[in-house]
């Protein structure tokens, strides 16, 4: 089966400790699992290949401690966790340039 986008079951979220992965990388002042109560959707989402046990989880934007304002701000870098063969591989990807349009999509 190919990768599919879906909501994470509560059992899988607990099994893979997704709340703590989110909290480690996401800049939000609210932390998981309390943050799920502030959204319309009350579950994590991921891209998963259940046959092989692989998944990709977006943890959101990282903090920029060295911002021009002198305050901690969200950066242009996002953290993704790829789970393969029982290991979590962290990817920090940055997007640059203009806002996404049909003519100029944002590239990671």
């Amino acid at each position: 089966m190919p990768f599919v986008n879906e909501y994470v079951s509560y059992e899988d979220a607990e099994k893979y400790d997704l709340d703590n992965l989110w909290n480690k990388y996401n800049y939000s002042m609210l932390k998981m699992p309390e943050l799920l109560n502030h959204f319309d959707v009350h579950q994590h989402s991921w891209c998963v290949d259940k046959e092989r046990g692989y998944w990709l989880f977006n943890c959101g934007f990282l903090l920029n401690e060295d911002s021009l304002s002198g305050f901690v701000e969200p950066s242009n870098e996002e953290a993704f966790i790829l789970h393969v063969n029982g290991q979590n591989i962290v990817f920090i990807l940055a997007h640059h340039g203009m806002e996404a349009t049909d003519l100029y999509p944002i590239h990671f």
Side-chain angles (χ1 to χ4, degrees):
M1 173 189 265
F3 279 91
V4 294
N5 293 326
E6 67 178 26
Y7 293 113
V8 182
S9 71
Y10 295 108
E11 294 81 17
D12 282 339
E14 187 174 298
K15 176 181 177 181
Y16 296 111
D17 202 20
L18 296 184
D19 285 349
N20 284 329
L21 285 175
W22 176 278
N23 291 340
K24 180 177 180 180
Y25 294 104
N26 191 281
Y27 74 87
S28 176
M29 298 302 255
L30 293 172
K31 298 297 180 190
M32 292 294 180
E34 294 81 21
L35 186 61
L36 292 174
N37 295 327
H38 295 273
F39 286 87
D40 290 335
V41 176
H42 300 288
Q43 288 178 270
H44 294 293
S45 60
W46 62 5
C47 187
V48 63
D49 181 337
K50 289 188 178 182
E51 284 183 10
R52 293 187 281 178
Y54 298 172
W55 49 262
L56 179 69
F57 181 63
N58 181 348
C59 293
F61 286 94
L62 302 177
L63 286 176
N64 179 6
E65 307 261 344
D66 300 321
S67 67
L68 295 175
S69 69
F71 296 101
V72 177
E73 297 177 353
S75 71
N76 69 335
E77 297 176 328
E78 284 187 78
F80 292 83
I81 309 294
L82 177 64
H83 182 83
V84 176
N85 297 330
Q87 296 182 16
N88 289 343
I89 303 166
V90 179
F91 292 92
I92 307 297
L93 304 177
H95 65 85
H96 303 280
M98 302 179 288
E99 292 295 318
T101 65
D102 289 339
L103 190 56
Y104 298 104
I106 291 179
H107 295 277
F108 286 92

